[in-house]
């Protein structure tokens, strides 16, 4: 969060209104699916996630896509979208 505050100070006034959301890569629902695979549980491996800034529009698009995929019961979220 401090990174965003520092960066906002460097932006012109017109651009300061751009909002960013934190984005997990891979998405939490995909990471849970990968972590729940039997061989990853057996080997004690977990997916490393990184946190990146994402604009509001992209965040909404990704959230909608993942929400529809989860609600539709897709077993493999990698194949969706």
């Amino acid at each position: 969060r401090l990174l965003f505050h520092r960066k906002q100070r460097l932006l012109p006034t017109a651009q300061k209104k751009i909002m960013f959301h934190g984005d997990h890569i891979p998405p939490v629902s995909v990471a849970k699916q990968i972590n729940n695979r039997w061989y990853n549980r057996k080997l004690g491996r977990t997916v490393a996630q990184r946190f990146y800034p994402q604009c509001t529009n992209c965040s909404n698009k990704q959230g909608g896509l993942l929400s529809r995929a989860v609600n539709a019961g897709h077993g493999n979220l990698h194949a969706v979208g």
Side-chain angles (χ1 to χ4, degrees):
R1 190 171 187 141
L2 187 57
L3 174 68
F4 298 130
H5 291 299
R6 286 183 186 164
K7 203 167 193 172
Q8 277 186 343
R9 287 188 205 125
L10 301 174
L11 293 174
T13 307
Q15 291 181 350
K16 283 188 177 182
K17 294 186 181 188
I18 297 173
M19 294 291 296
F20 288 97
H21 297 274
D23 180 35
H24 295 89
I25 301 294
V28 174
S29 55
V30 174
K32 284 181 182 178
Q33 188 180 76
I34 294 169
N35 290 336
N36 284 331
R37 293 181 180 160
W38 69 269
Y39 50 86
N40 286 333
R41 285 195 320 260
K42 181 104 172 145
L43 296 172
R45 295 189 302 196
T46 57
V47 174
Q49 287 186 297
R50 300 209 182 247
F51 208 58
Y52 293 101
Q54 186 178 49
C55 71
T56 302
N57 290 339
C58 294
S59 179
N60 291 340
K61 287 178 187 178
Q62 180 183 0
L65 177 71
L66 288 170
S67 178
R68 283 191 303 275
V70 169
N71 290 337
H74 284 281
N76 185 2
L77 293 178
H78 288 292
V80 177

